[in-house]
Amino acid sequence: MLFLLVPEGVKAKNWTDMLDFSGYVQSDIRFSIEDYRGPRNGDGYKFETNRNDVDFRLRFTPNRKVEAIVDARIRFYGINRANRIAELYGWNKVDRFDFQLNEAYLAVHGWPSEIMDFKLGRLIEQWGTADLFNPTDNLNARDFSDPLDYTAKVPNQMLEIDLYPTDWFSLSLVWVPVFKPSLLPPSTDYAFAVETSRDGCFVSAPAPPLQRYQVKALENMFDQYSPCELHFNTPQINVMKPGLDISNSQAGARAHFDVGLGDVGDLGFSLSYYYGRFTFPVAYTAVAKLMDDPKKAGVMDVDYLVNVIYPRMQVAGFDFSFSAASQYVPGIFGELAVIFPEKVIFGLGVLRNGNVVNSLSMSNVNVDSRPFVKATFGMDYTFTSWLYMNVQYVRGFFDEFNDAYGIHNYVVPDIDFTFLDSAFKLRLSAAWNVDDLSAAVFPSIIWVPAPSVQMTLGAWWNLGDTKPLDPESYAGRSKFGQKAAGRSVVYLKGKLNW
Amino acid sequence: MLEHKGFLLVVIIGLLAGCGDWKADGPQYLRDTYGSGTSCLKDSANNGKGDVRVTTTPAQSIAGRWAVEVNQHGTIAPTGETWQLYLTGLYLANIPPDGSGVYFTFCDQLMHVTTPPFGPDKKQNPMRPQSHIGQGLKDAMVSTWVPFSKPSLNSLPAINVLWLWGLRNMKDPWHDPLPDKGDSRIWDQDGDGHPGVTIVVTKPLTGDRYMIRRGIWKLAKGTPDKDFLWITGTLKFQIDQKAIGASDQLLMTVAPVTPKNDNTYLMRRVPGNFTCQDLLTHKDSVFANPPGK
Amino acid sequence: MRKVWNLQYVLILASILVIGMPDVQAQTKLTPIQILAKMDKTISGYKDQVMKNTMTITNEKGEKRSYDFTVMQKGTKKRLVRFTSGEIKGMALLVLGKSKAFVYLPGFKKVRRVAAHAMTQSFAGSDFTNEDSTPRAWSEMCIPSLLKEDKDHWYINCKLKPDAGLHYSRLVMMVGKKTFFEDGVDYYGPDGKLIKKMRSSHPKDFHGVKINSVVVMTDVRTGHSTRLDIHDFKVNQGLPDSMFTVRQLKWGM
């Protein structure tokens, strides 16, 4: 039907006008600045990551009603991973790279009705008014494969219809046929890792989402063995992905309103609804398989198998941003999401030599079916030409779903100092967990030596205890201190846009 | 009106889903997997690290870890003519030191079919249908625990083994008729989004068949060699299966399997860190030179 | 976090446009308000305008940085600015009056309302404030009086009305007698001291419409300056009202 579309208004006249080519080249190298958040203590103070990205974005606009976007990135990893001589025969391990299609979609504007736009294809959608912490924004999963690039999202195929019946009201309807989960940082493995001493003896295992007395019962079982006779294999975490039936589709609707408040200012707010799944995994079952070593009495091999799931949820959302007419009043924004979750009952089983140990079969409600709230409220203010501040209160981090870990509270400040005609910017940002007092601090200096060029020298510094504050509680781990939070690093990035 | 309809659709979808089963019950999942003798939990078994090798040090009993090859021979007649069906099942088995039973883990099943020449003159080449197990089922590493009637460490006693693919909550899993499509006892065991388990057909048609299956082995007593490095034996088997969906309707036809009597099993002692991947990669060398051959 | 510096940048770069009607004959015995009204007409007296520009910022050391952008304007109330080069390529600004502005941040795929506290700020050593970017009619904002005149210009003192939405105490506008071009503006701060000077020059004919093609804003306190070069200018292109909406801002055309 697209051939029916008739260009209007300012018409593109040639291919140069129809095509817009942009993108960037970015190089990023990181160095770990501690040695206790890796696989074993003492491993650190070394180059952690080296990434070199080339991004191409092509926009084709044959007329004012139609747009096609293709955005692709090639990433080369600069760290050699060849371990065998045979791997030196090619580039696969020495100079690894991957290709990512960020976006590829078709958009039609004002068709079939003047008040309607639609998009179809691989998209990244953005809802909400807060900075980054958008509990009402659940259409795309998050891409935390690079924890420093915390704004990234996982693109997904979707159909989006936007309706603009008036200039003060708009309605978005989105359907996402297939569920796609969030990408996790490589350090996630440490959340399940068993800690051993240098000589391989068992030290501790992360607490499962069980009651304290249940965790104690597990501890008692392992206490029967000498720590050096417990041989834990690497825990295996299986992801139980949702099926491809239509009930696993996601759908969302968002109605946005703009309201003038006269001399006071302007208010924009939205009401939204989302049906789908939480994109971060939630612990579902765990099985400890114990096998007595037939050759050595008292020696036990332990396999630990974990299943995680993506629970269903419905989200009723409200977001707003208020812009005061007075220059002395800060901008205020916020989001509130009431989440109606699928109940998740965690089950744990212990098999000894293949036999179920009934006394150690346990269960606990990991996610209650009662609705809970995730929210963000913030304000920002430009004090002078060189000082800008933004502070947010966040209830519920990206990966929190009111499971046995609970919903935590955070303060996220961001202060920008601008120097030398804005060629330099010092940005002090942090996220502080006010419940366990751990924090991530990420200061950076951004230098724009020439238009289109940005150099960034920064750090990501996790503060908190790597060991659980309460080893017998699933909620006992330190949010930013635990090993799963990843290593503290300093980084240098260079980026050129075109 | 358009926006009203669209919004209504979204709300209806949400309400319908909200009225459904909004509980993920981990304990029930474990009961389904272990209570019925099946599991879709993976056996990590050292993640395949370490050198692949069989054990050559003599042992004192059958306790330990074994690689298992189960050779089943039967016939099928999907076109009226008799085709020969050879199924080679690959498993891992663990026998605890107390000789109380054996814990089997499914790794893969290889299928080989021979057909008579076809065509009007019966001179055309055999068609040789081909299919294999979907990756999801292999990844699921279905397991079952089979207790011995009394502890045994000197030989593998005669046992019956039940395998259920895509089935759970059967009242009498050994004898109940297989349910039909849509029955709640059918589940997506390989986690690929389709009910039952997926068999990938590659010849003469191409596509996926979603099926349920009950396999019963009646293993005769297994005889170990003097070093307890091998166990050999015979078996009888029974396969009941049903297609409950397919990517192509032509793949819905599932022919009954008529077992033959020349079925054998072979067990080879392997180290404790031996994995399914090791077995699939090195199965020929693992089962090379069995005793008596 | 929130990219306010970029946002300010967008606002600033959308600033002063000095355009004029070709060869308008100077009038004598015009009152100051009439002079300003005629100047307004040279600036915004079209149904719509499309302008392509380069902005070059020069610091005290003589170091320069340049950015390209396109301005689309309809009447005196609606203006859309899109950046086409530099690290802010893709960013866009929609101004719908003296205090209502929205910015599109392509990196975040978000449209944000520009807060009032950001309107008086400048960016990157640029010599424009954000509020300079709003389209306006000076004759409606000023209480004008004639300071002096010479052969080529009227010098109009513009005392800003309370609702003007600008944070200067007054302006002195240099209006060309032959062209009614806004050839210059002196900006005075709240304390009454001269802050910066704008001068426009190099009249050029674009598709039959003559305007000054170079605008230079200089901070008299620092010597810092910002220059706008207009490369193309078209009027009455039939830009629809729908182009100046938040919907269009997100759409990106």
Side-chain angles (χ1 to χ4, degrees):
Chain A
M1 292 298 286
L2 296 181
F3 62 89
L4 293 176
L5 298 174
V6 179
E8 65 173 33
V10 180
K11 296 171 184 172
K13 291 185 177 176
N14 54 49
W15 282 96
T16 313
D17 292 334
M18 293 182 194
L19 287 173
D20 179 48
F21 182 62
S22 57
Y24 63 82
V25 173
Q26 179 173 275
S27 183
D28 176 359
I29 189 160
R30 300 174 197 173
F31 189 88
S32 61
I33 52 173
E34 38 92 331
D35 64 354
Y36 48 87
R37 281 200 182 85
R40 65 192 71 81
N41 286 348
D43 179 19
Y45 298 110
K46 62 182 183 182
F47 286 108
E48 190 79 9
T49 304
N50 179 10
R51 291 176 173 172
N52 301 279
D53 297 353
V54 185
D55 182 274
F56 302 99
R57 185 177 180 87
L58 186 66
R59 182 171 177 229
F60 177 57
T61 50
N63 58 61
R64 286 194 55 245
K65 282 186 178 282
V66 181
E67 175 186 42
I69 296 281
V70 176
D71 189 321
R73 183 204 69 197
I74 302 171
R75 168 170 289 171
F76 280 83
Y77 298 86
I79 295 179
N80 168 31
R81 299 286 184 204
N83 294 318
R84 299 177 182 178
I85 192 76
E87 291 170 347
L88 296 176
Y89 302 159
W91 292 104
N92 289 353
K93 292 283 186 180
V94 177
D95 205 4
R96 296 168 299 130
F97 74 95
D98 61 33
F99 175 84
Q100 166 71 19
L101 185 63
N102 292 323
E103 289 189 297
Y105 66 87
L106 162 77
V108 180
H109 190 53
W111 186 86
S113 161
E114 269 303 315
I115 65 165
M116 179 172 152
D117 297 346
F118 75 84
K119 296 179 185 172
L120 177 64
R122 187 177 172 88
L123 276 165
I124 293 175
E125 187 51 69
Q126 192 78 41
W127 281 7
T129 53
D131 277 346
L132 302 178
F133 298 94
N134 304 109
T136 63
D137 182 17
N138 297 287
L139 292 166
N140 289 97
R142 293 278 171 173
D143 177 0
F144 285 143
S145 58
D146 178 359
L148 266 63
D149 186 11
Y150 46 82
T151 64
K153 288 180 162 187
V154 176
N156 203 351
Q157 282 71 31
M158 59 181 81
L159 170 65
E160 177 181 345
I161 296 172
D162 297 314
L163 299 160
Y164 299 88
T166 72
D167 59 358
W168 54 268
F169 170 68
S170 63
L171 179 67
S172 291
L173 304 170
V174 184
W175 179 50
V176 186
V178 177
F179 172 80
K180 209 179 271 187
S182 288
L183 300 184
L184 306 176
S187 54
T188 305
D189 275 350
Y190 302 137
F192 302 92
V194 173
E195 189 179 354
T196 56
S197 60
R198 288 191 172 205
D199 50 3
C201 299
F202 172 72
V203 175
S204 66
L210 293 170
Q211 300 290 326
R212 187 177 298 276
Y213 74 91
Q214 295 171 316
V215 176
K216 279 183 177 296
L218 284 174
E219 289 176 343
N220 290 339
M221 179 192 68
F222 288 119
D223 284 347
Q224 296 169 15
Y225 292 85
S226 162
C228 296
E229 291 169 342
L230 282 170
H231 294 170
F232 276 86
N233 294 315
T234 304
Q236 186 166 326
I237 303 116
N238 302 320
V239 175
M240 302 181 72
K241 58 180 185 286
L244 298 175
D245 44 306
I246 197 165
S247 68
N248 285 317
S249 291
Q250 302 153 88
R254 182 177 189 241
H256 181 77
F257 303 84
D258 281 309
V259 181
L261 301 177
D263 294 338
V264 178
D266 291 286
L267 175 71
F269 70 92
S270 303
L271 299 171
S272 61
Y273 169 80
Y274 167 81
Y275 165 78
R277 287 178 181 271
F278 188 54
T279 61
F280 289 89
V282 169
Y284 181 46
T285 65
V287 175
K289 291 185 173 180
L290 317 178
M291 287 293 294
D292 289 306
D293 190 321
K295 294 176 187 169
K296 288 185 182 175
V299 175
M300 179 79 83
D301 280 329
V302 183
D303 288 340
Y304 191 54
L305 318 174
V306 177
N307 277 342
V308 294
I309 59 170
Y310 299 100
R312 293 178 193 274
M313 65 176 181
Q314 295 181 87
V315 181
F318 170 74
D319 68 64
F320 76 95
S321 69
F322 170 69
S323 179
S326 167
Q327 64 167 321
Y328 302 109
V329 177
I332 301 169
F333 52 90
E335 289 185 40
L336 187 141
V338 181
I339 298 170
F340 300 83
E342 178 180 17
K343 186 174 186 175
V344 179
I345 305 174
F346 175 78
L348 182 136
V350 176
L351 278 75
R352 183 160 181 181
N353 300 321
N355 295 312
V356 175
V357 182
N358 287 324
S359 61
L360 292 175
S361 293
M362 303 171 184
S363 66
N364 186 39
V365 175
N366 194 14
V367 178
D368 198 350
S369 58
R370 284 178 303 178
F372 62 92
V373 170
K374 290 176 82 170
T376 301
F377 293 97
M379 58 179 65
D380 70 327
Y381 192 72
T382 307
F383 290 90
T384 69
S385 60
W386 52 270
L387 177 61
Y388 165 78
M389 183 182 285
N390 177 327
V391 179
Q392 296 184 91
Y393 160 74
V394 177
R395 177 165 176 77
F397 216 66
F398 301 105
D399 59 341
E400 292 174 8
F401 197 62
N402 202 30
D403 61 359
Y405 179 75
I407 294 284
H408 284 211
N409 300 282
Y410 302 84
V411 174
V412 183
D414 173 37
I415 306 170
D416 289 355
F417 299 93
T418 307
F419 312 102
L420 303 175
D421 301 340
S422 296
F424 279 93
K425 182 185 300 294
L426 170 62
R427 174 168 291 165
L428 303 177
S429 305
W432 179 45
N433 183 322
V434 296
D435 296 304
D436 67 19
L437 303 182
S438 65
V441 181
F442 28 105
S444 60
I445 295 175
I446 303 161
W447 176 38
V448 182
S452 303
V453 179
Q454 272 193 340
M455 304 290 291
T456 307
L457 176 64
W460 183 287
W461 194 9
N462 286 319
L463 301 172
D465 204 329
T466 54
K467 297 191 186 324
L469 307 172
D470 178 354
E472 293 174 350
S473 168
Y474 189 65
R477 55 200 150 103
S478 164
K479 183 74 178 184
F480 297 109
Q482 60 179 321
K483 284 187 174 183
R487 282 176 154 161
S488 301
V489 295
V490 293
Y491 62 90
L492 176 64
K493 287 184 185 178
K495 186 175 184 181
L496 168 67
N497 292 70
W498 64 76
Chain B
M1 280 304 290
L2 191 60
E3 64 268 36
H4 297 307
K5 287 178 182 173
F7 192 73
L8 192 62
L9 175 68
V10 170
V11 171
I12 288 172
I13 290 173
L15 291 177
L16 285 176
C19 295
D21 180 14
W22 272 60
K23 184 172 78 171
D25 192 337
Q28 182 61 46
Y29 177 85
L30 292 177
R31 282 191 290 276
D32 289 341
T33 52
Y34 287 89
S36 66
T38 58
S39 167
C40 73
L41 298 173
K42 292 185 178 180
D43 183 345
S44 66
N46 278 1
N47 283 336
K49 293 173 184 169
D51 296 331
V52 174
R53 61 189 186 281
V54 294
T55 302
T56 55
T57 306
Q60 304 302 316
S61 74
I62 62 169
R65 194 173 183 89
W66 299 82
V68 184
E69 181 183 83
V70 179
N71 297 298
Q72 300 165 82
H73 178 200
T75 58
I76 54 177
T79 61
E81 292 184 302
T82 300
W83 297 3
Q84 302 299 314
L85 171 69
Y86 299 93
L87 296 173
T88 303
L90 298 170
Y91 303 81
L92 293 177
N94 279 304
I95 299 173
D98 59 3
S100 56
V102 57
Y103 188 76
F104 286 108
T105 300
F106 171 79
C107 296
D108 197 3
Q109 184 183 75
L110 312 177
M111 187 193 78
H112 179 70
V113 177
T114 61
T115 60
F118 68 103
D121 52 2
K122 300 284 183 186
K123 287 183 179 176
Q124 295 186 41
N125 290 329
M127 193 157 49
R128 295 196 191 287
Q130 291 178 2
S131 65
H132 59 265
I133 303 293
Q135 189 61 40
L137 186 59
K138 285 191 265 188
D139 288 344
M141 298 180 74
V142 180
S143 304
T144 187
W145 166 252
V146 183
F148 298 157
S149 56
K150 59 181 181 181
S152 175
L153 288 169
N154 294 322
S155 63
L156 185 76
I159 50 174
N160 293 342
V161 184
L162 172 69
W163 293 99
L164 295 178
W165 285 1
L167 294 167
R168 64 181 173 187
N169 298 334
M170 302 275 280
K171 199 169 182 180
D172 181 353
W174 296 83
H175 303 104
D176 280 353
L178 295 188
D180 293 319
K181 179 181 177 182
D183 193 294
S184 62
R185 291 171 294 177
I186 298 174
W187 68 301
D188 178 16
Q189 191 168 9
D190 51 10
D192 65 353
H194 299 289
V197 300
T198 298
I199 305 296
V200 181
V201 180
T202 54
K203 189 179 173 185
L205 300 170
T206 303
D208 292 345
R209 176 189 295 139
Y210 317 122
M211 58 188 304
I212 52 177
R213 176 188 279 189
R214 170 171 52 213
I216 296 175
W217 297 342
K218 295 182 177 176
L219 299 183
K221 181 182 176 183
T223 309
D225 67 338
K226 64 180 174 56
D227 294 328
F228 289 97
L229 298 177
W230 292 88
I231 299 174
T232 54
T234 61
L235 77 152
K236 294 180 178 177
F237 74 94
Q238 170 192 330
I239 292 176
D240 304 313
Q241 56 189 3
K242 188 181 281 188
I244 51 172
S247 60
D248 185 326
Q249 280 301 307
L250 293 173
L251 298 173
M252 286 291 286
T253 305
V254 178
V257 179
T258 305
K260 305 285 280 186
N261 291 321
D262 54 345
N263 310 298
T264 60
Y265 67 91
L266 195 56
M267 298 172 67
R268 180 71 165 102
R269 184 180 292 279
V270 291
N273 62 357
F274 195 87
T275 66
C276 270
Q277 188 56 50
D278 295 334
L279 176 56
L280 301 185
T281 307
H282 302 283
K283 66 181 180 58
D284 291 339
S285 58
V286 168
F287 297 110
N289 304 316
K293 289 191 178 176
Chain C
M1 297 297 162
R2 193 165 277 218
K3 300 275 187 182
V4 164
W5 61 274
N6 283 338
L7 176 156
Q8 293 171 353
Y9 192 34
V10 174
L11 284 163
I12 292 162
L13 292 182
S15 64
I16 298 177
L17 307 174
V18 183
I19 56 179
M21 299 286 284
D23 298 321
V24 176
Q25 289 297 311
Q27 303 293 313
T28 55
K29 297 180 182 177
L30 291 171
T31 63
I33 193 74
Q34 288 173 320
I35 294 169
L36 289 188
K38 284 184 171 292
M39 185 185 79
D40 286 338
K41 198 174 178 185
T42 67
I43 297 173
S44 306
Y46 308 100
K47 288 180 182 173
D48 57 56
Q49 311 166 19
V50 179
M51 191 185 323
K52 292 183 178 176
N53 312 271
T54 298
M55 186 177 93
T56 304
I57 302 167
T58 308
N59 66 16
E60 296 87 338
K61 298 174 187 173
E63 296 167 340
K64 295 182 178 180
R65 286 181 289 150
S66 295
Y67 299 91
D68 298 331
F69 61 99
T70 300
V71 178
M72 285 168 276
Q73 182 170 324
K74 187 163 188 178
T76 60
K77 303 289 185 191
K78 298 173 179 176
R79 182 177 292 170
L80 180 64
V81 181
R82 290 197 184 281
F83 289 85
T84 54
S85 78
E87 67 275 11
I88 53 172
K89 181 179 179 179
M91 191 179 294
L93 172 75
L94 174 67
V95 183
L96 297 174
K98 62 188 179 187
S99 62
K100 194 168 188 177
F102 300 87
V103 62
Y104 175 66
L105 305 170
F108 294 86
K109 289 180 166 286
K110 271 190 175 180
V111 172
R112 287 193 188 285
R113 178 74 188 266
V114 179
H117 57 82
M119 296 293 282
T120 57
Q121 303 303 326
S122 64
F123 167 75
S126 157
D127 300 282
F128 299 103
T129 64
N130 296 334
E131 64 187 11
D132 290 339
S133 68
T134 55
R136 62 175 66 88
W138 290 113
S139 56
E140 295 173 8
M141 299 167 69
C142 290
I143 302 171
S145 58
L146 183 64
L147 280 180
K148 63 176 182 177
E149 60 182 298
D150 57 25
K151 184 165 69 78
D152 297 321
H153 294 98
W154 290 291
Y155 296 85
I156 307 285
N157 183 57
C158 167
K159 183 183 177 187
L160 290 166
K161 292 179 180 175
D163 62 350
L166 297 176
H167 293 80
Y168 302 111
S169 60
R170 69 186 181 99
L171 306 149
V172 174
M173 321 203 74
M174 194 168 79
V175 184
K177 283 187 170 177
K178 291 183 180 176
T179 60
F180 287 97
F181 285 178
E182 186 185 39
D183 285 338
V185 182
D186 293 345
Y187 297 81
Y188 291 84
D191 58 359
K193 291 183 179 175
L194 180 64
I195 301 172
K196 57 190 182 183
K197 290 185 172 187
M198 183 280 284
R199 294 293 180 267
S200 67
S201 58
H202 297 75
K204 189 175 176 182
D205 190 302
F206 292 99
H207 311 287
V209 179
K210 198 169 188 179
I211 60 168
N212 280 337
S213 63
V214 175
V215 180
V216 178
M217 180 75 91
T218 305
D219 188 320
V220 298
R221 297 163 297 184
T222 63
H224 197 280
S225 67
T226 303
R227 170 176 168 139
L228 295 179
D229 286 279
I230 299 166
H231 305 301
D232 193 20
F233 180 68
K234 293 176 182 172
V235 299
N236 301 332
Q237 296 292 294
L239 303 182
D241 284 334
S242 62
M243 181 170 277
F244 300 91
T245 59
V246 171
R247 174 189 186 185
Q248 186 68 32
L249 192 62
K250 283 194 278 190
W251 183 252
M253 282 193 285

